[in-house]
Amino acid sequence: MKFSIKTKLFIAVCVTAAICVSLPLGFAYYLLKADLAADAQSIARQKLELTKRLYLKSDGKSIKARIAAVSNMLGEEVGFISSSGKMLATTLWADESWNLSRSEIRAAKVDGTGFHIQQSPDENLSSIYCAIKVSNHLDAPEGYLIIKESLSTLNERIGMISKVFFWAIPAVALLCYGVIRFVTLHLSSSVKSMVRTAEAVGQGNYKRRIRNFPDKEFIQLAKSINWMAERIDEHVTIITSQKNKIQAVLNGMWDGVMVMDCNCRIQSVNRKLINIFPGAEKGLDRSPLEIIPSPELQDACAEVVSPEGPEAKTVQLVLPTGHIYDVNIVRSPHTVEPGQGPGAIAVFHDISKIKRLETMRQDFVANVSHELRTPLTSIKGYAETLLNEPAPPENIQKSFLETIEKNANHMCKIVDDLLNLSRLESGKEQGHFIPLDPMIALSNAWQACCALAEKRNVKLVAAINKNQFKVQADPDQLMQLFRNLLENAIKYGPENKPVVVNHLVEGDRLKFTVQDEGIGIPAIDQPRIFERFYSVEKFRRNEFGSTGLGLAISRHIVSNHGGKIEVQSPPEGCPRGAAFIFTLPLAKKSA
């Protein structure tokens, strides 16, 4: 059982005080008792001398008469034992059984006087029995006078000393307790202050300090605790700052980062990973498989953190959303506490755009090759026919040359559109944006499509008047945007049906809708309709000389103007057809 410092100190002081008090008191008790006994013997000796003189001067025919006379004069009983040991004069306290064998008589026989202190058997009192030797005198035989002297005074004083001794110990203990209580209260207050400070620092309150310094013995300890708290505060501040910097770096990364321990349990994630996998922040202390449904990723992480596993491993992760990630998993010995085995860091690099660009590049090469191969094959065939011997008739030669010219023009249009699209994508052709009337660009675009519209008996219905609105746009790009959308509406819409252009003001933007009543665009093709060379009805391209780049160019033109373009098929409130909707910024009115 462990005692507190206060209890140990109290016990030690009490024992020490008891010893220090008991020894002097015991010694004083012994000396006082001896002095009182000596005083009692001295008084008893004087009485014995007086008794002897009275005995020798008394007259009487017998020993009993003399002893009776002496007793009357002294007022006390006196006994007499002859030298032969016979009790000649008895008392209440000395009967005939007394003889020469008693210690006080033996002492008197040698020294003349003898004393013996004895406790009364029936009374809790001590008495001193005294004897003096008497020689033959006249008619008196030789013998020993004996008297009894009560030691009540001695007993009282001894009792008083015992009481003092008895009460001194508790008094000293109580006094020690009071002193110890006073000292330990101050000591306990100082220790509690230091304990509270240490506990506060342990609980994270690193600013807590010991303000009131305790006694001299604890000043160094208090200063040490304050110094320790300051160092911990500095280290925690540095560690927190470094952690915040690292977390800021991780959160600023474009790649998702996942830190795992030696048991392949997630310890921390950055903001990008939470964006990739919503709810990942709730997956701490869980395995990657619990938040990312990829057994390959889980197995790769387990291999890297294993002692005999590789230092790094790469896994490709394809999500249901279509995003593709290269996950680089690297062993990290500093992600967990020493001695618990290595951890791992997984970096999720989004390669969706790269994959998409690779696919687009492959599709672009294939589409360009296909688009150019058809007219080149036609040109090559007709040219070889014209070069053959004998040459075809002149009317056939003219038809062949017209076909060669038509295919050459088609190739030139493809190349021009590709160059135009390349300039728009690279940002080199930003355009000259000025406030202009969109009706002018719409009219110019319709004039360019007029021949095709007359051939299919298609008319333009525009619910916008001249000078009604002004938009901030590039005139050439806006005219090309309207022309591309009008040509598509004329080509793929039904004959004898109008192309409708509507508008709607939304805040600081003007929304246009170019709508036809054709068969429309299937929902599966609508997300890709603005890609280069993508066509819903590829077999109808050659019928109209389409390059498949018009909608891609239109998307970039609208994007350069800060707007958006989308397709609705069928349009709202219509059973069929397609509507291309785009927005342009309204020009600010001059003050």
Side-chain angles (χ1 to χ4, degrees), residues 530-562:
F530 294 101
E531 294 180 9
R532 290 174 290 186
F533 296 111
Y534 189 83
S535 178
V536 178
E537 298 180 345
K538 295 183 180 180
F539 63 90
R540 298 188 65 186
R541 271 210 202 152
N542 295 333
E543 179 182 350
F544 303 110
S546 174
T547 62
L549 298 171
L551 290 179
I553 293 173
S554 300
R555 182 186 64 179
H556 281 285
I557 290 175
V558 174
S559 179
N560 284 346
H561 284 75

Side-chain angles (χ1 to χ4, degrees), residues 201 206-207 209 228-238:
V201 173
Y206 307 115
K207 303 297 182 183
R209 297 291 184 273
M228 177 193 67
E230 290 175 2
R231 298 288 82 77
I232 292 175
D233 187 21
E234 291 178 2
H235 292 321
V236 169
T237 301
I238 294 173

Side-chain angles (χ1 to χ4, degrees), residues 268-543:
S268 64
V269 295
N270 68 341
R271 187 179 297 131
K272 181 62 178 180
L273 190 73
I274 296 174
N275 294 336
I276 298 172
F277 302 102
E281 72 279 6
K282 299 179 182 178
L284 300 182
D285 290 329
R286 297 182 180 179
S287 63
L289 187 62
E290 294 183 60
I291 63 171
I292 303 173
S294 174
E296 295 82 5
L297 176 62
Q298 178 70 35
D299 295 340
C301 294
E303 289 182 22
V304 171
V305 299
S306 62
E308 299 178 356
E311 292 290 332
K313 195 166 185 178
T314 301
V315 177
Q316 192 167 95
L317 190 63
V318 181
L319 302 183
T321 57
H323 287 80
I324 304 173
Y325 292 90
D326 263 348
V327 185
N328 298 319
I329 308 167
V330 182
R331 180 182 296 181
S332 174
H334 304 295
T335 56
V336 293
E337 294 294 330
Q340 295 184 2
I345 299 177
V347 180
F348 293 72
H349 181 61
D350 191 353
I351 60 171
S352 305
K353 189 174 181 180
I354 297 175
K355 290 292 185 180
R356 186 165 57 251
L357 290 175
E358 288 180 357
T359 304
M360 290 176 62
R361 179 180 59 80
Q362 295 172 356
D363 293 344
F364 175 76
V365 173
N367 289 329
V368 170
S369 301
H370 176 74
E371 294 295 333
L372 294 178
R373 183 175 183 179
T374 300
L376 281 174
T377 301
S378 179
I379 291 173
K380 183 175 182 295
Y382 282 109
E384 288 175 352
T385 302
L386 291 174
L387 293 174
N388 286 339
E389 293 292 343
E394 291 184 1
N395 59 340
I396 296 178
Q397 290 182 13
K398 183 178 180 180
S399 175
F400 282 7
L401 290 173
E402 289 175 350
T403 303
I404 290 174
E405 181 185 21
K406 177 183 177 182
N407 284 287
N409 290 335
H410 181 62
M411 286 194 299
C412 288
K413 186 178 181 182
I414 292 175
V415 173
D416 290 340
D417 286 346
L418 285 173
L419 291 174
N420 190 15
L421 181 61
S422 177
R423 286 193 295 270
L424 290 170
E425 288 181 342
S426 63
K428 295 180 180 179
E429 190 172 330
Q430 294 294 334
H432 180 59
F433 298 91
I434 59 173
L436 58 89
D437 187 354
M439 192 62 191
I440 297 176
L442 179 61
S443 299
N444 294 335
W446 183 255
Q447 289 295 328
C449 302
C450 191
L452 182 60
E454 290 178 354
K455 183 178 179 181
R456 295 180 61 82
N457 195 22
V458 175
K459 294 183 179 181
L460 174 66
V461 177
I464 183 171
N465 300 322
K466 286 186 177 182
N467 298 322
Q468 185 177 358
F469 300 103
K470 286 187 179 296
V471 294
Q472 194 75 16
D474 179 86
D476 295 334
Q477 291 186 18
L478 183 57
M479 192 275 285
Q480 186 177 7
L481 172 61
F482 277 120
R483 180 179 176 179
N484 291 343
L485 297 179
L486 291 175
E487 280 185 352
N488 280 346
I490 295 170
K491 291 175 184 178
Y492 299 106
E495 297 181 358
N496 304 317
K497 294 289 185 178
V499 175
V500 180
V501 179
N502 292 321
H503 71 281
L504 178 65
V505 178
E506 291 184 345
D508 60 347
R509 295 190 174 275
L510 187 61
K511 183 165 71 173
F512 291 94
T513 303
V514 180
Q515 182 175 340
D516 63 64
E517 299 181 17
I519 60 174
I521 303 171
I524 192 174
D525 295 311
Q526 291 181 21
R528 301 188 59 189
I529 198 66
F530 294 101
E531 294 180 9
R532 290 174 290 186
F533 296 111
Y534 189 83
S535 178
V536 178
E537 298 180 345
K538 295 183 180 180
F539 63 90
R540 298 188 65 186
R541 271 210 202 152
N542 295 333
E543 179 182 350

Side-chain angles (χ1 to χ4, degrees), residues 105-136:
I105 295 176
R106 290 200 307 271
K109 186 176 183 180
V110 177
D111 299 329
T113 57
F115 305 93
H116 172 65
I117 299 175
Q118 182 177 340
Q119 184 82 17
S120 299
D122 51 352
E123 296 181 6
N124 191 19
L125 293 175
S126 295
S127 300
I128 183 170
Y129 295 90
C130 310
I132 188 169
K133 184 176 181 181
V134 179
S135 301
N136 292 327

